[in-house]
Amino acid sequence: MKKSIFFLEGIMIVMLLSACGSKDVNNIEETKEIQNIIENEPIEKETMTGENSWDESRIEDSLCDNVIVNADVVVPEGFQGVAAVYNAGVQYFQEDAVMNALGVEKAKATSPAEGLYQYEDQTFGFDNSATGNFYYYSKAGDSYKVFNPYDISEYAGIENLGEGKDLDFMSAEEAENKVLDTLADIGIGNAVILHTYALPVEYHKYREEEEVKSGYLTESEQLGEQWDVLGGCYELELTTCYDNIPLYEEGYVAADDSAFNGGKIKAVISKNGIEKLEIPNQYVANDTVTEAEPVLSPSEILPFLKTKMENIILTDTYTVEKLRLCYFSSVVNKGEGLFRLIPAWEITLKGETDGDVVYLFQADDGVEIQ
């Protein structure tokens, strides 16, 4: 059986619901040493001020040669143009609470290795290092084939596939509520839905048959008719919010070349319940480095993108399609699991031939996050 692991996904462009939960206030214990590291870490910042315009839901303009702006602006509902910078620690999960939320008593499971538990066909993995990752999968969750919405044309003959679709065993809304309730029981009460994909039985059978033909899957590894019993499944992508601002969900490589999973939570749910759950880096915002201060408006951040693009030899024509305000987790001390949550603008461009490109800029001073 293949083992589920956390992985860095290639950057995909996602649309985010504007209604987000409030800042997580989960209590965690911190040692005095960790508190000292946070409190003594200096931060230098210059705040650019100006007349912010927060009623811009779309911007259309010409930015520079080969770059035009035809973009949606995504900010939290009622956003007033200010955001704080937070010190944050990695969120760790209580093994008993997590396993109970997923219907398994820890005492009934075997533990072949530290942080690894197995019960019947279910596997739980807890990483209590500096990342705090958690994963869970059943046999169906381990066999499930990840859906790529960019490939949906390949499945043109399959009905009720993709976003905005319902499956027979429960509606998409019911699936979302089930996953959100489970995450709250685990200790994540500030999660929000990014995408919900309905994946009917025919999708799974088709994917398995194609992988058998390609040699990536043996016939004995197929679930086949078991998908009829499961009723297909939903795949959900989520992230978390702080002060109604979503955490940037994609993975990244830090300046010291260390790789970090993004904040994207993934869940798979069938008629039997949750079949797979992947929870990468999650954070508890402990205290503020700076109180809420003005951030650059959508129109004010675009000149920083213009400067960057003018210093690149462009061989394609690009359209700025989205500007989204988010929080970015910057490393303070990897070994101690300490981060800083910085408000940032995520700017998505689409090239006519090169595809999607995403740039991140600090929302207070326009410095690019690289």
Side-chain angles (χ1 to χ4, degrees), residues 18-289:
S18 61
C20 297
S22 60
K23 179 172 79 70
D24 188 13
V25 292
N26 292 336
N27 294 321
I28 64 171
E29 290 189 359
E30 294 180 346
T31 65
K32 290 183 178 180
E33 289 82 0
I34 291 178
Q35 289 175 337
N36 287 337
I37 290 173
I38 291 179
E39 291 167 1
N40 295 330
E41 182 71 17
I43 179 168
E44 297 180 3
K45 64 188 289 294
E46 295 181 5
T47 301
M48 291 186 64
T49 59
E51 185 176 349
N52 290 339
S53 175
W54 297 104
D55 59 354
E56 299 170 291
S57 60
R58 280 194 62 79
I59 299 179
E60 298 181 11
D61 203 351
S62 176
L63 191 68
C64 59
D65 290 345
N66 287 14
V67 183
I68 63 171
V69 181
N70 188 9
D72 292 318
V73 176
V74 182
V75 296
E77 184 176 355
F79 183 66
Q80 297 298 307
V82 295
V85 175
Y86 288 102
N87 283 319
V90 170
Q91 180 176 359
Y92 298 101
F93 301 99
Q94 302 229 348
E95 295 175 355
D96 286 339
V98 171
M99 296 177 73
N100 286 338
L102 292 166
V104 174
E105 292 183 30
K106 182 180 176 181
K108 293 182 178 180
T110 59
S111 181
E114 183 179 357
L116 181 66
Y117 298 90
Q118 294 176 330
Y119 177 75
E120 296 180 348
D121 71 343
Q122 299 166 288
T123 299
F124 301 79
F126 297 88
D127 180 358
N128 291 320
S129 68
T131 62
N133 295 334
F134 163 75
Y135 65 86
Y136 159 80
Y137 59 87
S138 64
K139 181 180 179 181
D142 192 37
S143 301
Y144 156 79
K145 310 304 175 190
V146 176
F147 177 68
N148 184 347
Y150 291 99
D151 295 337
I152 195 167
S153 60
E154 180 182 346
Y155 318 114
I158 299 177
E159 297 182 355
N160 293 327
L161 174 68
E163 287 193 280
K165 307 291 185 180
D166 289 328
L167 300 177
D168 291 338
F169 69 88
M170 70 170 60
S171 68
E173 182 178 3
E174 290 172 324
E176 292 170 353
N177 290 335
K178 172 67 174 177
V179 170
L180 289 172
D181 288 344
T182 300
L183 290 174
D185 291 339
I186 287 173
I188 301 177
N190 58 339
V192 290
I193 307 291
L194 295 173
H195 296 281
T196 301
Y197 302 113
L199 307 179
V201 171
E202 293 75 16
Y203 164 83
H204 300 285
K205 291 183 177 180
Y206 173 81
R207 288 293 307 274
E208 288 184 344
E209 290 168 359
E210 290 301 304
E211 293 207 358
V212 168
K213 292 177 185 177
S214 302
Y216 294 110
L217 192 70
T218 66
E219 292 189 3
S220 63
E221 291 174 320
Q222 289 181 277
L223 289 185
E225 300 304 317
Q226 294 181 51
W227 283 113
D228 292 302
V229 178
L230 296 170
C233 69
Y234 290 98
E235 176 190 318
L236 289 82
E237 296 180 353
L238 309 92
T239 190
T240 49
C241 282
Y242 303 86
D243 293 337
N244 290 337
I245 299 173
L247 178 67
Y248 182 66
E249 66 272 11
E250 302 297 345
Y252 69 95
V253 177
D256 63 357
D257 291 331
S258 56
F260 288 83
N261 296 305
K264 184 185 292 182
I265 300 169
K266 299 196 75 170
V268 175
I269 183 170
S270 75
K271 183 189 296 185
N272 287 353
I274 293 177
E275 305 281 4
K276 187 172 187 176
L277 189 59
E278 293 180 341
I279 305 177
N281 302 64
Q282 298 298 313
Y283 307 97
V284 176
N286 301 318
D287 58 5
T288 56
V289 178

